[in-house]
């Protein structure tokens, strides 16, 4: 198979000397690029007089295709150039910069992760000039990628590898064997792809604008106002994800932003542990405060909890035992009878393996309070371990210097470029990111060594313009947070409210528990309110930042340091559950589905998850969520086919959720309660009358009345369930806060149900005893 290309100019491969050099390996792509690269003239014009008037048709043979993989985060194609261009086998690859610029993948990737100043040589030899030129280009690509990402563009890095004939033939044998394999075909294809996707020569990078659909920012803003917590799971770079988050109003300027980037495992965990401690001590996570964990419950509460846990554990164990018996013996017996064997190759039923895993997890499950104690202790332990590292000690010294500087205005502490790199905060939004400092330092060294060329000056100006926007930070560990006592919460705040400030309507008819028990700000005692205001004024700036809305930005590689450990997973999702918005960037399709699953497992009470996507990489996430919505568009129909609902544009999610979703939930609640009321009224009258007729079974109503009751009384229920609207569409869209009543389940709370029960008894007694006198003499 081949691909036909129309070329408007003659390819450089038409030179037989170049083609044979590349084919034999005597000419490297780096050397060829260095020799043939020619920047545009100073006036920016391009002479097109040497271009052919008619395009040249070229046929490139496709030898193999390595499809995109969420672990590799790239795809490649092995092609052979046309015979007139030498018939050279070459690998063309594209992918994310995190995977393409890896030193194990590209030839000059080491210059981007090591001390770049050592990458430049001051020798005037041609080899040194070639290496310096290549290093400068890699730094330029890195600088451009950061600049593109800061503008919210989606980037790709392009690479090429020239193969010799023996290399190409040997690899194709392995590829064909993997492609024809029946077992573990995907794993084998991934392995052969990893084998050839090395020693890539980076050609350049692309950036495209992924234009938002109409109404996306307004839709997301109103969903946030409705009390819906938004999680954005994307494969984009962190910089791109943040810029898109601001443009779509997922992030706002009032939000306290915490960024969790990939790095050393202890550093990443320490950063998350610090955020966990900050939320715990400021009262956002009161259940993890030692004052609450060390409280001993009363004997009655302990007894009731013990009885409930015993019943729950017994029912769960009985269910697992019955399912294990069915799958392991009964189902296996019928398979042996009808299929001749239980499972292929002597394997076990997947359902049996799943049940055994459930049994193992149940045996290792800890008590809730004991588990929370271990999570809190683990967070403290991680912070202490980090403070013992050189980086942690450096932060402690820098914090001491900052305190001295603040106490002595004449004293100023200057920071070097290296210190600024170490101080890049994850608690504030940088305008550009740390890689810019590395690029700037390398290019500055190049200029100081006299190796700066005309073509490199634009790179320097770009790097300098972006790197100057980076702000200093307070580091990972905040001693102010560690030194304070936790805010009083729970039982310690019961005496903070004045019950006399409640109104009669609030205490009797309010559905919301905080309103009914007088726990709003207007119910706080005047003396306590003044104490709180004074305490807030005395807080440091870092403490005041913990108030208000919060957002978390985490990279997929950083999540790998937490996944797999239940205590670390609980720590992460405890922090995430207190954020108004979460952006997970650089995540694979598999990680997207895993995050949705973990949200359902760790966030209490268990939320109703809704996933919305428009591409094939969103299918796993959509299927894992309780509600899946697919957007039909240019990305194909895979997401639509795997979803529960399909919409054409993202903005249609607003009326789907806030208007129709709210109406339907309220109507369904009314239908359920109204049906209960209707049936109980009929049955209640019969029960009362049965005592008057010696429980003979005689009905108080004629048979035709009982038969027609469900039909006649069902008509108002039917109309309410279809047409009832307590609020109009325009009002709901202009006031999305009314959607919170559904999130708090106010339509089906026990208090509402008891009201219907009370009304039902009143109507039963009224219907019977008001109509009984007229039927006492047999009626007329």
């Amino acid at each position: 198979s081949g691909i036909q290309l129309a070329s408007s100019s003659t390819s450089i491969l038409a030179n037989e000397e170049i083609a044979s050099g590349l084919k034999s390996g005597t000419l490297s792509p780096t050397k060829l690029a260095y020799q043939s690269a020619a920047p545009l003239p100073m006036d920016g014009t391009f002479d097109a007089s040497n271009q052919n008037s008619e395009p040249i048709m070229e046929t490139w043979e496709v030898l193999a295709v390595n499809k995109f993989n969420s672990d590799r985060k790239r795809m490649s194609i092995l092609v052979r150039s046309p015979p007139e261009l030498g018939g050279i086998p070459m690998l063309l690859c594209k992918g994310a910069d995190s995977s393409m610029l890896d030193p194990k993948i590209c030839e000059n990737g080491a210059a981007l992760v090591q001390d770049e100043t050592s990458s430049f040589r001051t020798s005037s030899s041609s080899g040194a000039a070639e290496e310096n030129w290549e290093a400068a280009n890699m730094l330029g690509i890195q600088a451009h990628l950061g600049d593109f990402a800061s503008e919210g563009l989606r980037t790709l890095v392009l690479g090429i590898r020239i193969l010799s004939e023996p290399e190409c033939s040997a690899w194709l044998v392995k590829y064909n064997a993997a492609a024809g394999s029946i077992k573990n075909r995907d794993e084998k294809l991934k392995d052969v792809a990893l084998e050839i996707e090395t020693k890539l020569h980076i050609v350049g990078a692309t950036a495209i604008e992924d234009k938002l659909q109409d109404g996306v920012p307004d839709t997301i803003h109103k969903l946030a106002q409705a009390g819906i917590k938004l999680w954005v799971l994307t494969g984009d770079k962190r910089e791109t994800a943040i810029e898109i988050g601001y443009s779509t109003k997922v992030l706002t300027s009032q939000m306290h932003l915490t960024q969790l980037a990939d790095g050393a495992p202890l550093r990443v965990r320490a950063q998350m542990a610090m955020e966990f401690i900050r939320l715990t001590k400021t009262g956002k996570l009161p259940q993890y405060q030692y004052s609450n964990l060390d409280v001993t419950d009363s004997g009655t509460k302990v007894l009731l909890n013990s009885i409930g846990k015993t019943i729950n554990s017994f029912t769960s164990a009985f269910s697992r035992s019955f399912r294990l018996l069915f799958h392991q013996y009964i189902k296996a017996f019928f398979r042996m009878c009808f299929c001749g064997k239980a499972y292929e190759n002597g394997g076990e039923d997947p359902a049996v393996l799943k049940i055994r895993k459930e049994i193992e997890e149940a045996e290792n499950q800890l008590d809730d309070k004991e588990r929370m104690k271990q999570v809190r202790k683990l967070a403290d332990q991680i912070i202490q371990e980090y403070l013992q590292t050189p980086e942690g000690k450096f932060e402690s010294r820098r914090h001491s210097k900052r305190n001295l500087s603040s106490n002595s205005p004449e004293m100023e502490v200057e920071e070097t470029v290296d210190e600024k790199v170490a101080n890049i905060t994850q608690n504030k939004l940088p305008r550009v990111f740390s890689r810019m400092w590395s690029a700037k330092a390398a290019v500055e060294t190049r200029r100081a060594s006299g190796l700066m060329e005309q073509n490199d000056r634009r790179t320097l100006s770009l790097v300098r313009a972006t790197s100057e926007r980076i702000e200093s930070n307070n580091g990972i560990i905040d001693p102010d947070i560690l030194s304070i006592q936790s805010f009083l919460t729970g039982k310690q705040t019961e005496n903070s409210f004045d019950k006399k400030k409640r109104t009669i309507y609030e205490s009797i008819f309010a559905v919301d528990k905080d309103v009914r028990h007088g726990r709003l700000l207007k119910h706080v005692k005047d003396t306590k309110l003044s104490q709180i205001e004074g305490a807030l004024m005395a807080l440091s700036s870092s403490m005041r930042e913990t108030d208000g809305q919060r957002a978390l930005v985490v990279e997929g590689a950083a999540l790998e340091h937490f996944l797999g450990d239940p205590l670390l997973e609980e720590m992460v999702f405890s922090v995430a559950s207190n954020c108004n918005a979460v952006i997970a960037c650089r995540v694979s399709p598999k990680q997207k589905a895993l995050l949705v699953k973990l949200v359902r497992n760790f966030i209490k009470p268990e939320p109703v998850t809704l996933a919305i996507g428009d591409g094939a990489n969103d299918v796993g996430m959509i299927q894992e969520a309780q509600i899946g919505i697919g957007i039909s568009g240019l990305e194909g129909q895979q997401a639509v086919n795997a979803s529960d609902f399909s919409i054409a544009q993202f903005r249609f999610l607003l009326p789907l959720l806030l208007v129709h979703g709210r109406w339907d939930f309220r109507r369904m609640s009314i239908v359920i309660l109204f049906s209960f009321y209707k049936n109980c009224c009929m049955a209640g009258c019969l029960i009362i009358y049965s005592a008057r007729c010696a429980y003979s079974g005689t009905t108080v109503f004629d048979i035709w009345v009982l038969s027609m009751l469900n039909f006649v009384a069902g008509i108002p229920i039917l109309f309410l369930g279809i047409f009832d609207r307590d609020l109009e569409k325009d009002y709901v869209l202009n006031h999305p806060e009314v959607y919170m009543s559904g999130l708090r389940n106010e339509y089906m709370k026990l208090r509402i149900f008891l009201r219907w029960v009370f009304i039902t008894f009143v109507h039963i007694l009224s219907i019977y005893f008001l109509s009984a006198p007229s039927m006492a003499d047999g009626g007329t």
Side-chain angles (χ1 to χ4, degrees):
S1 61
I3 300 176
Q4 280 197 341
L5 301 178
S7 176
S8 60
S9 61
T10 306
S11 173
I12 194 174
L13 297 179
N15 189 320
E16 295 183 2
E17 183 179 352
I18 294 177
S20 60
L22 290 174
K23 202 169 184 179
S24 61
T26 57
L27 180 62
S28 66
T30 301
K31 186 174 182 179
L32 176 62
Y34 174 71
Q35 294 176 351
S36 61
L40 292 175
M42 295 299 294
D43 56 0
T45 60
F46 179 73
D47 185 9
S49 60
N50 295 328
Q51 304 303 307
N52 297 323
S53 58
E54 295 183 2
I56 302 173
M57 302 304 298
E58 300 174 354
T59 302
W60 291 68
E61 182 183 0
V62 179
L63 302 179
V65 176
N66 297 316
K67 296 183 179 180
F68 176 84
N69 179 271
S70 59
D71 296 328
R72 291 165 34 241
K73 295 182 181 178
R74 57 182 176 267
M75 68 167 297
S76 59
I77 178 173
L78 182 63
V79 299
R80 186 186 297 276
S81 63
E84 60 271 17
L85 299 181
I88 303 173
M90 60 182 69
L91 182 77
L92 308 178
C93 186
K94 69 174 182 178
D97 63 324
S98 60
S99 62
M100 294 290 292
L101 299 181
D102 192 315
K104 299 178 182 179
I105 303 301
C106 66
E107 290 180 338
N108 295 282
L112 300 174
V113 295
Q114 299 175 355
D115 183 9
E116 287 81 354
T117 59
S118 63
S119 301
F120 297 103
R121 298 170 57 184
T122 58
S123 174
S124 59
S125 62
S126 60
E130 179 182 325
E131 292 181 12
N132 290 334
W133 180 87
E134 180 67 15
N137 276 290
M138 292 295 290
L139 291 172
I141 291 175
Q142 191 76 293
H144 280 86
L145 286 172
D147 190 61
F148 292 152
S150 65
E151 296 177 6
L153 304 179
R154 293 196 170 188
T155 59
L156 278 178
V157 176
L158 309 178
I160 186 174
R161 178 183 176 183
I162 305 297
L163 301 175
S164 62
E165 287 294 344
E167 288 177 334
C168 179
S169 302
W171 184 84
L172 282 176
V173 172
K174 298 178 182 179
Y175 176 81
N176 292 329
S181 178
I182 298 177
K183 295 182 180 180
N184 299 327
R185 181 173 178 270
D186 293 338
E187 267 315 300
K188 293 179 179 178
L189 286 174
K190 184 184 76 171
D191 293 338
V192 295
L194 290 173
E195 179 182 345
I196 196 174
E197 291 173 349
T198 56
K199 302 179 183 178
L200 295 177
H201 171 73
I202 301 301
V203 178
T206 63
I208 61 172
E209 180 184 7
D210 191 4
K211 188 176 181 181
L212 296 175
Q213 294 179 351
D214 295 336
V216 171
D218 184 59
T219 300
I220 292 178
H221 179 63
K222 288 189 175 180
L223 290 177
Q225 286 182 320
I228 299 175
K229 291 188 177 181
L230 304 172
W231 288 45
V232 179
L233 311 181
T234 177
D236 292 329
K237 295 172 57 179
R238 179 161 52 102
E239 301 94 322
T240 307
I242 290 174
E243 290 297 328
I244 293 177
Y246 278 104
S247 63
T248 57
K249 294 186 179 180
V250 173
L251 304 177
T252 63
S253 57
Q254 292 80 21
M255 282 185 176
H256 173 76
L257 188 64
T258 300
Q259 297 183 57
L260 194 65
D262 186 26
L266 183 57
R267 175 185 171 88
V268 175
R269 291 174 180 174
Q271 182 184 344
M272 181 57 68
M274 187 64 237
E275 187 68 17
F276 175 80
I277 295 298
R278 177 183 286 109
L279 293 175
T280 300
K281 290 200 170 187
T282 53
K284 305 287 185 178
L285 294 172
Q287 66 271 26
Y288 293 98
Q289 294 180 356
Y290 284 125
S291 57
N292 290 330
L293 293 175
D294 296 335
V295 172
T296 303
D297 295 329
S298 61
T300 305
K301 188 174 182 179
V302 172
L303 178 61
L304 294 176
N305 290 338
S306 177
I307 294 174
K309 291 178 181 178
T310 303
I311 295 175
N312 186 36
S313 60
F314 173 77
T315 54
S316 301
F318 178 79
S319 173
R320 288 191 294 266
S321 301
F322 179 79
R323 288 187 290 126
L324 184 62
L325 174 66
F326 172 78
H327 288 287
Q328 191 169 8
Y329 297 103
I330 300 177
K331 185 178 177 181
F333 172 76
F334 282 100
R335 285 186 64 90
M336 289 291 295
C337 294
F338 295 100
C339 302
K341 56 182 178 179
Y343 290 94
E344 296 181 359
N345 302 325
E348 284 190 290
D349 187 354
V352 175
L353 299 177
K354 182 179 179 181
I355 296 172
R356 287 179 178 173
K357 185 177 180 180
E358 292 178 4
I359 295 175
E360 183 179 355
E361 292 176 353
E363 292 175 352
N364 299 329
Q365 188 175 8
L366 298 174
D367 178 72
D368 290 343
K369 182 169 288 188
E370 183 64 28
R371 188 191 69 254
M372 287 189 288
K373 282 184 179 180
Q374 292 191 13
V375 173
R376 176 64 189 272
K377 291 180 180 178
L378 179 60
D380 294 334
Q381 178 183 350
I382 291 174
I383 293 176
Q384 294 303 320
E385 290 179 359
Y386 176 77
L387 290 176
Q388 300 304 317
T389 62
E391 187 178 3
K393 294 178 181 178
F394 172 77
E395 282 195 10
S396 300
R397 292 194 303 268
R398 183 167 52 83
H399 183 77
S400 301
K401 290 181 180 179
R402 187 184 302 113
N403 289 340
L404 291 175
S405 177
S406 61
N407 294 332
S408 302
E410 68 277 0
M411 180 182 298
E412 294 185 359
V413 180
E414 296 184 356
E415 294 182 83
T416 64
V417 172
D418 293 335
E419 289 176 333
K420 290 180 180 178
V421 173
N423 295 343
I424 289 176
T425 182
Q426 304 300 330
N427 291 330
K428 291 184 181 294
L429 173 65
R431 298 295 298 274
V432 290
F433 300 86
S434 58
R435 66 179 63 192
M436 293 306 160
W437 284 108
S438 300
K440 179 183 178 181
V443 180
E444 288 281 10
T445 303
R446 180 174 173 81
R447 184 180 65 172
S449 302
L451 300 175
M452 180 63 63
E453 299 176 0
Q454 180 71 22
N455 196 36
D456 298 329
R457 293 177 182 172
R458 188 168 64 91
T459 298
L460 175 61
S461 61
L462 170 65
V463 175
R464 176 177 295 171
T466 53
S467 62
E468 287 176 351
R469 296 197 298 261
I470 299 181
E471 299 175 354
S472 60
N473 68 84
N474 297 325
I476 291 179
I477 305 301
D478 190 346
D480 294 337
I481 293 292
L482 298 179
S483 61
I484 68 168
Q485 296 292 328
S486 300
F487 282 6
L488 299 181
T489 58
K491 296 180 179 179
Q492 306 169 53
T493 59
E494 288 294 332
N495 297 325
S496 302
F497 300 100
D498 187 358
K499 303 296 183 181
K500 296 180 180 179
K501 291 187 176 183
R502 289 183 302 169
T503 63
I504 297 178
Y505 180 82
E506 289 176 343
S507 58
I508 298 178
F509 297 101
V511 178
D512 188 88
K513 185 183 297 185
D514 291 331
V515 177
R516 191 168 62 253
H517 292 285
R519 296 174 183 169
L520 300 181
L521 181 61
K522 66 179 183 179
H523 301 138
V524 178
K525 294 180 180 179
D526 297 334
T527 57
K528 190 68 178 179
L529 188 60
S530 60
Q531 294 177 7
I532 295 176
E533 291 176 351
L536 291 176
M537 293 297 294
L539 289 178
S540 63
S541 60
S542 60
M543 287 290 297
R544 286 195 293 269
E545 287 178 355
T546 60
D547 273 348
Q549 295 183 331
R550 307 184 64 82
L552 175 67
V553 179
V554 57
E555 289 186 355
L559 281 175
E560 294 179 357
H561 301 312
F562 300 92
L563 301 181
D565 188 329
L567 298 181
L568 290 175
E569 289 176 348
E570 182 172 347
M571 185 190 304
V572 171
F573 285 91
S574 297
V575 173
S577 63
N578 278 271
C579 295
N580 300 84
V582 177
I583 297 180
C585 53
R586 283 296 189 217
V587 291
S588 63
K590 184 178 179 181
Q591 285 179 319
K592 290 182 180 181
L594 181 61
L595 282 173
V596 175
K597 181 179 180 181
L598 292 176
V599 167
R600 298 175 59 181
N601 292 341
F602 285 98
I603 296 183
K604 303 299 180 183
E606 181 179 347
V608 178
T609 55
L610 182 149
I612 179 169
D614 62 350
N617 56 347
D618 301 320
V619 170
M621 172 184 67
I622 290 174
Q623 292 179 336
E624 187 65 40
Q626 291 155 308
I627 303 172
I629 298 179
I631 300 178
S632 57
L634 301 177
E635 297 290 336
Q637 296 295 317
Q638 292 92 334
V640 172
N641 296 334
S643 63
D644 302 310
F645 301 92
S646 174
I647 57 179
Q649 294 188 29
F650 184 83
R651 60 189 176 92
F652 296 156
L653 184 64
L654 199 60
L656 179 65
L657 275 180
L658 301 191
V659 180
H660 299 287
R662 181 182 174 279
W663 282 347
D664 289 345
F665 182 64
R666 182 176 178 277
R667 291 166 182 169
M668 188 181 302
S669 303
I670 293 176
V671 167
I672 293 173
L673 295 173
F674 208 155
S675 300
F676 160 80
Y677 162 82
K678 170 181 67 70
N679 293 326
C680 287
C681 282
M682 178 184 66
C685 293
L686 297 178
I687 292 173
I688 296 177
Y689 181 70
S690 63
R692 295 293 185 93
C693 62
Y695 301 99
S696 61
T698 304
T699 61
V700 66
F701 304 113
D702 291 335
I703 299 298
W704 69 269
V705 175
L706 297 178
S707 302
M708 292 293 294
L709 178 65
N710 285 325
F711 174 76
V712 175
I715 293 177
I717 299 177
L718 179 66
F719 275 85
L720 281 175
I722 297 177
F723 302 109
D724 184 47
R725 298 183 181 183
D726 61 331
L727 298 174
E728 289 300 324
K729 177 180 178 180
D730 293 338
Y731 184 87
V732 175
L733 293 178
N734 293 328
H735 301 83
E737 297 83 3
V738 298
Y739 184 79
M740 292 185 184
S741 58
L743 298 178
R744 293 192 290 260
N745 198 26
E746 293 183 0
Y747 303 122
M748 290 293 290
K749 275 187 175 291
L750 178 62
R751 195 175 185 86
I752 296 296
F753 177 74
L754 293 178
R755 289 181 188 177
W756 280 82
V757 171
F758 175 75
I759 294 174
T760 301
F761 276 104
V762 171
H763 288 184
I764 289 174
L765 298 176
S766 300
I767 292 172
Y768 180 80
F769 287 105
L770 292 180
S771 60
S774 63
M775 297 184 291
D777 298 328
T780 56

